[in-house]
Amino acid sequence: MTPEESSQHAANVCELAPVVPVLVVDDAARAAELAVALVTGGLPALEVTLRTPAALDAIREMATVDGGVVGAGTLLTPADVVAAKDAGALFGVTPGTTDRLIDAALEAELPLLPGAAPATEALRRLERGCIIQKFFPAEASGGVPALKAIGAPLPQVRFFPTGGVSLANAPDYLGLANTVCVGGSWVAPKDAVAAGDWSRIATLAREAAALPR
């Protein structure tokens, strides 16, 4: 798989729905039910961040859910890439990017959404064949105006903004020509997950899936 092909696969994941849930899973035993609620609500692409000891097991559980496309976020090292792939992740997401991470993802054949914020980082990622990139942290990096400005000199790059994105500002990001989808955690509130309120989560997912882009 060439770098361009890998990036296109990542773009295809982003095109599945306007929102990719960014999930911090503390209990893998609830992961499959959480995935079912989100997929049922119309959000098939799911990013499980590697921020908890349960994350890899959660990916394994979610990978069994029909219609779901589970990925791993917060990939920081080549070892994270390998572990995510072995757990069943179909795509990977990084908060920032190094050449070692890109090389590891290509070797593992794990489509990658590499993190970039300033224009220089975005250009470096483009030189490696990354036609779609994560814009992170979106709001702290200038938000919609910054992303719109980057699009002028870099029309070849499309973005997946996360970090401070909410139901309130998601439409502004999705209205940009260089935004494919957004990532957010609001569709799976911690209290709803802890209570097993899958109906509420499915409702939030349906609301997010209906956002125009």
Side-chain angles (χ1 to χ4, degrees):
M1 185 184 299
T2 68
E4 292 76 14
E5 289 171 338
S6 177
S7 193
Q8 184 58 57
H9 281 298
N12 292 344
V13 171
C14 288
E15 289 168 354
L16 292 173
V19 177
V20 175
V22 179
L23 308 170
V24 180
V25 181
D26 295 306
D27 183 2
R30 292 183 175 270
E33 291 175 296
L34 173 59
V36 168
L38 292 166
V39 172
T40 299
L43 302 180
L46 312 171
E47 178 191 340
V48 178
T49 60
L50 300 190
R51 300 180 191 176
T52 70
L56 291 173
D57 286 335
I59 290 171
R60 292 185 184 93
E61 293 297 321
M62 289 185 173
T64 67
V65 174
D66 289 342
V69 180
V70 63
T74 321
L75 299 179
L76 304 179
T77 68
D80 288 340
V81 173
V82 173
K85 176 75 173 184
D86 289 346
L90 298 178
F91 66 96
V93 187
T94 68
T97 315
T98 66
D99 285 329
R100 290 179 68 228
L101 279 172
I102 293 176
D103 291 341
L106 288 172
E107 184 175 352
E109 297 190 345
L110 184 69
L112 190 67
L113 290 162
T120 297
E121 287 190 21
L123 186 56
R124 285 174 176 164
R125 303 291 80 78
L126 181 61
E127 287 182 348
R128 292 297 310 268
C130 301
I131 59 173
I132 185 163
Q133 303 174 21
K134 173 181 174 178
F135 182 62
F136 176 83
E139 284 292 282
S141 298
V144 171
L147 193 52
K148 181 178 180 179
I150 289 173
L154 292 174
Q156 310 95 318
V157 182
R158 294 188 295 166
F159 290 92
F160 162 52
T162 75
V165 180
S166 66
L167 181 62
N169 62 16
D172 296 329
Y173 282 101
L174 293 169
L176 297 176
N178 62 342
T179 296
V180 183
C181 66
V182 300
S185 58
W186 81 87
V187 293
K190 281 191 174 182
D191 60 334
V193 174
D197 192 349
W198 311 125
S199 176
R200 177 186 171 196
I201 290 173
T203 297
L204 290 170
R206 280 191 288 271
E207 187 177 35
L211 289 171
R213 56 175 173 171

